[in-house]
Amino acid sequence: MGLTTTQLKTIAIIAMVIDHVGVVFFPNIIIFRIIGRLTFPIMSYFIMKGFLHTSNLKKYFVRIILTLCFSIIPYYLVFDVWSGTVMFTFILSLILLYCYKKNMLLFFASLLPCLILSRFSDYSYFGLFLPLIFYIARLRNMSYLPYIYIIVTSSLAVYFLGYMHIYCVPVGIFMLLPLPFLENSTYNKRKNIKYKYLFYVFYPSHLFILFILQNILK
């Protein structure tokens, strides 16, 4: 029996907080970064699920965009870098998903711009394609694991050529850990609407809290 969606989202949120606490307060302790790598594949999976099941795609896009807007400043304050944050990665992924669903011509037209923009997002092209892999595997009723292993292997190759961030190796390899649990995950019988929107509120909020603690503990 697989983990429920609520359990997976809880794991993702806890792992994210541990990761960011490690970056800010314990940068030399690698276990914080290892635990943090659990978050992205889980949230990428739910980006795909959200796209697949949403009753209003426009509102879904708006939620992600608003989360990005509220996150940019606290992200900069905490990490001292201008970045679209992971929400920018998810927006690019949603664009690819939308174009893929519409038609292949539109998909290939959007591919190069999204690839270029992904260089300025968290997790680069690996992050860009992960929700799409989940989506295609779901549509074709097949396992996504072999395809993700291929893209991870190619990411490692790109890293060794010097074109990808250090977290891809060896820490990034731990992103593979939650994948089997995603494939076997189950929906909660009772949907908690408040919990559904928790991540959108929690993501920018926890960054503001980290910024405050960062200045208090200086």
Side-chain angles (χ1 to χ4, degrees), residues 45-89:
Y45 179 76
F46 285 114
I47 286 293
M48 177 277 292
K49 297 285 279 187
F51 176 82
L52 192 64
H53 296 294
T54 184
S55 57
N56 192 319
L57 187 57
K58 184 181 292 187
K59 287 184 178 180
Y60 188 59
F61 266 102
V62 169
R63 287 201 298 271
I64 302 295
I65 291 170
L66 285 176
T67 307
L68 168 65
C69 292
F70 284 112
S71 302
I72 290 177
I73 292 178
Y75 190 92
Y76 170 73
L77 292 174
V78 173
F79 301 114
D80 198 26
V81 291
W82 285 109
S83 169
T85 80
V86 73
M87 304 312 297
F88 183 57
T89 309

Side-chain angles (χ1 to χ4, degrees), residues 133-150:
I133 293 173
F134 288 139
Y135 182 73
I136 294 172
R138 174 57 62 92
L139 290 182
R140 298 183 180 181
N141 195 28
M142 61 186 186
S143 173
Y144 53 74
L145 293 177
Y147 299 93
I148 293 178
Y149 288 133
I150 290 172

